[in-house]
């Protein structure tokens, strides 16, 4: 009976040892898993890269489809301000000291952009053209499309400049044609005509644009004349969104040196995420300027429903004279003279029409540029470009891209008499535009909120969760080994006590046997 009980106890102890080994092995396994998770979450970018991989514009991917045909709820606003010349006749006749101009606007349009002629290339790039449609929004506009405005006759001023560049018989023929057509340097139009196109006899001549219509934004409506090629990010996420070609060329040919002709910029709708993490300067390639512009990190902001974003702004010296910003030197060397701070000569970018872009209301420009104008009121909060960028994914979620289009008066033989009071190369502002985010719906804002805080919460939970699990399982393993070691010590102590008791018993038996032997002797 006693033997059977011993065997049962031995079997129970054997099973308990197996259970203990299993429990210890399981805890050790979970410890290794949590330790691995701890190192992944704390010392690698694996978590970020999983989500950022969804940005990649791979062929036939859902991301690429949404990029090519975005939902209309993400449409942007195009806001146009037109400079109305209220007293130009009095000024040209010497009855006014300055030219009075009035900023009319904004005229607000809903801008829906899709990608057409899309080709995914084998070198991890995609080539495309933008196709834009516009819808006028009267309730968001402070001026009507069919009101009357008095503005510079851009085709006539452009023709005056182009004819001055001609020679011989061609110049004589073109000059006679323009004088036959006639026209004033300033004219009455509606905003709709001025922006989106009106029939113009000068524009239909071959030496000008070759088109029968002219409008400042006419080429923006519909499919863009320019093609872009950007990196899809498939081979390297750090290249995501970088422009690699413009109209099939890896370099521009508008400027005097390679430094300025290098594109080196991102598409304005997306930026490489690693540049956002490092708060690095972002270069944006703008087709309207035929050059890249920098965006510098300013501060962290909170927008919409407490959504955090990183605010970037264009620097004040973006269009400064090379004496103030040496990086602009190569934007000056292909012109007859270097322009004052605040404007750039983009004549080659605009088919040899003397277009001189600037910031709206000549913000951060040399006051000498607009000293002949009354009505220019530069203000940083209204006229400087800024972008609020998502801190994880690197796409703009708020902001305003602002630029002003100006024309320089050449005062050639066509308009010399009309504009005799104006000095040569006088800058006349035409319009300024800003592209802003649209009115986001609640579900869009909820999505932005989730992508900001939801992913951050998951990341934080995983980081500290793996740390906590590491500590818990490490503590349990140490405690288990301590308990086993302590139990073994107790068993050894019990064994020693039993051994000592047995030795004492044996000694007693030995002494008793010796005493009995003596008595017998």
């Amino acid at each position: 009976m006693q033997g059977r009980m011993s065997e049962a106890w031995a079997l129970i102890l054997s099973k308990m040892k197996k259970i203990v080994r299993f429990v210890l092995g399981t805890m050790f396994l979970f410890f290794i898993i949590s330790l691995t998770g701890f190192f992944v979450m704390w010392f690698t970018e694996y978590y970020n890269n999983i989500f950022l991989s969804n940005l990649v514009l791979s062929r036939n991917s859902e991301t690429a489809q949404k990029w090519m045909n975005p939902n209309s709820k993400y449409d942007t606003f195009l806001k146009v301000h037109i400079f109305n010349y209220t007293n130009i006749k009095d000024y040209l006749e010497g009855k006014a000291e300055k030219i009075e101009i009035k900023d009319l606007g904004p005229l607000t349009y809903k801008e829906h952009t899709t990608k057409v002629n899309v080709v995914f290339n084998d070198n991890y790039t995609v080539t495309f053209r933008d196709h834009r449609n516009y819808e006028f929004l009267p309730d968001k506009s402070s001026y009507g499309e069919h009101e009357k405005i008095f503005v510079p006759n851009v085709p006539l001023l452009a023709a005056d400049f182009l004819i001055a560049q001609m020679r011989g018989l061609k110049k004589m023929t073109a000059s006679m044609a323009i004088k036959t057509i006639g026209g004033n340097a300033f004219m009455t139009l509606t905003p709709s005509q001025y922006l989106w196109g009106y029939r113009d006899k000068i524009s239909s001549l071959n030496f000008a644009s070759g088109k029968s219509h002219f409008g400042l934004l006419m080429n923006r409506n519909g499919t863009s004349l320019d093609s872009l090629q950007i990196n899809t990010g498939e081979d390297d996420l750090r290249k995501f969104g970088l422009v690699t070609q413009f109209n099939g060329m890896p370099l521009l040919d508008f400027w005097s040196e390679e430094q300025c002709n290098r594109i080196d910029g991102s598409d304005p709708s997306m930026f490489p995420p690693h540049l956002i993490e490092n708060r690095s300067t972002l270069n944006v390639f703008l087709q309207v300027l035929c050059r890249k512009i920098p965006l510098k990190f300013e501060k962290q902001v909170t927008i919409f429903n407490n959504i955090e974003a990183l605010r970037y702004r264009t620097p004040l010296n973006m269009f400064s004279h090379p004496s103030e910003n040496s990086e602009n030197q190569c934007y000056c060397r292909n012109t007859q003279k270097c322009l004052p701070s605040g404007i750039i000569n983009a004549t080659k970018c605009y088919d040899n029409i003397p277009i001189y872009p600037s910031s709206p209301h000549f913000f951060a420009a040399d006051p000498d540029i607009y000293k002949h104008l009354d009505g220019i009121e530069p203000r940083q909060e209204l006229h400087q470009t800024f972008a609020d960028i998502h801190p994880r994914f690197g796409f703009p979620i708020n902001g305003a891209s602002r630029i002003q289009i100006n024309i320089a008066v050449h005062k050639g033989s066509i308009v010399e008499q009309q504009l005799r009071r104006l000095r040569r190369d006088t800058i006349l502002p035409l319009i300024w535009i800003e592209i802003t985010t649209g009115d986001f719906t609640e579900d869009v804002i909820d999505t932005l909120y989730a992508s900001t805080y939801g992913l951050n919460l998951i990341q934080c939970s995983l980081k500290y969760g793996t740390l906590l699990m590491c500590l818990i399982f490490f503590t349990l393993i140490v405690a288990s080994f301590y308990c086993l070691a302590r139990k073994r010590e107790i068993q050894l102590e019990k064994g020693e006590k039993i051994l000592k008791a047995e030795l004492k018993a044996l000694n007693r038996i030995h002494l008793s046997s010796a005493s009995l032997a003596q008595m017998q002797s």
Side-chain angles (χ1 to χ4, degrees), residues 449-486:
Y449 190 88
S451 65
T452 303
Y453 290 101
L455 297 180
N456 288 348
L457 180 61
I458 294 172
Q459 183 179 24
C460 187
S461 300
L462 289 174
K463 287 180 71 173
Y464 289 98
T466 53
L467 175 60
L468 180 62
M469 296 302 289
C470 278
L471 294 175
I472 289 174
F473 285 114
F474 180 75
T475 303
L476 288 174
I477 291 171
V478 171
S480 298
F481 277 108
Y482 175 79
C483 290
L484 289 174
R486 184 61 183 159

Side-chain angles (χ1 to χ4, degrees), residues 162-227:
L162 290 169
I163 290 173
Q165 317 304 314
M166 298 176 183
R167 295 290 181 269
L169 182 61
K170 185 177 182 181
K171 181 175 182 179
M172 185 184 301
T173 303
S175 180
M176 289 178 61
I178 293 295
K179 289 178 180 178
T180 300
I181 294 172
N184 295 316
F186 291 82
M187 61 192 305
T188 300
L189 293 171
T190 66
S192 179
Q193 292 173 320
Y194 192 45
L195 299 178
W196 307 112
Y198 62 95
R199 190 170 188 84
D200 182 73
K201 294 180 180 179
I202 295 176
S203 297
S204 64
L205 297 177
N206 290 330
F207 70 87
S209 64
K211 298 179 180 179
S212 60
H213 288 70
F214 172 81
L216 289 174
L217 301 181
M218 189 172 66
N219 291 336
R220 190 177 180 90
N221 192 14
T223 301
S224 173
L225 299 176
D226 299 317
S227 68

Side-chain angles (χ1 to χ4, degrees), residues 300-406:
Q300 186 168 316
V301 295
T302 302
I303 57 176
F304 303 135
N305 290 350
N306 295 321
I307 296 175
E308 291 184 354
L310 305 178
R311 175 157 295 177
Y312 286 75
R313 285 189 184 274
T314 52
L316 297 180
N317 64 352
M318 178 175 63
F319 296 143
S320 290
H321 189 277
S323 62
E324 300 174 18
N325 183 1
S326 59
E327 294 181 0
N328 285 337
Q329 185 64 56
C330 54
Y331 293 117
C332 257
R333 290 177 178 159
N334 64 336
T335 59
Q336 293 181 352
K337 66 175 183 178
C338 211
L339 301 172
S341 292
I343 56 175
I344 62 170
N345 187 341
T347 301
K348 289 189 176 181
C349 180
Y350 285 87
D351 296 325
N352 289 322
I353 296 175
I355 297 297
Y356 290 12
S358 68
S359 293
H361 280 251
F362 300 105
F363 172 71
D366 187 338
D368 187 62
I369 296 173
Y370 54 90
K371 67 181 182 180
H372 59 289
L373 300 172
D374 188 11
I376 296 297
E377 299 175 351
R379 295 169 59 185
Q380 182 178 29
E381 64 273 18
L382 296 179
H383 304 136
Q384 188 179 20
T385 292
F386 76 96
D388 295 334
I389 299 176
H390 194 284
R392 184 184 297 275
F393 294 114
F395 55 79
I397 55 180
N398 185 41
S401 177
R402 296 159 172 157
I403 200 73
Q404 180 170 301
I405 304 300
N406 312 294

Side-chain angles (χ1 to χ4, degrees), residues 85-119:
Y85 285 72
T86 58
N87 75 333
I88 187 64
K89 291 182 179 180
D90 288 341
Y91 177 81
L92 293 177
E93 292 174 3
K95 298 177 182 178
E97 292 185 4
K98 286 188 174 184
I99 301 173
E100 292 182 0
I101 58 174
K102 186 176 182 180
D103 184 330
L104 301 179
L107 287 84
T108 304
Y109 298 85
K110 186 179 182 182
E111 181 182 69
H112 182 68
T113 305
T114 58
K115 311 299 180 186
V116 297
N117 302 335
V118 179
V119 178

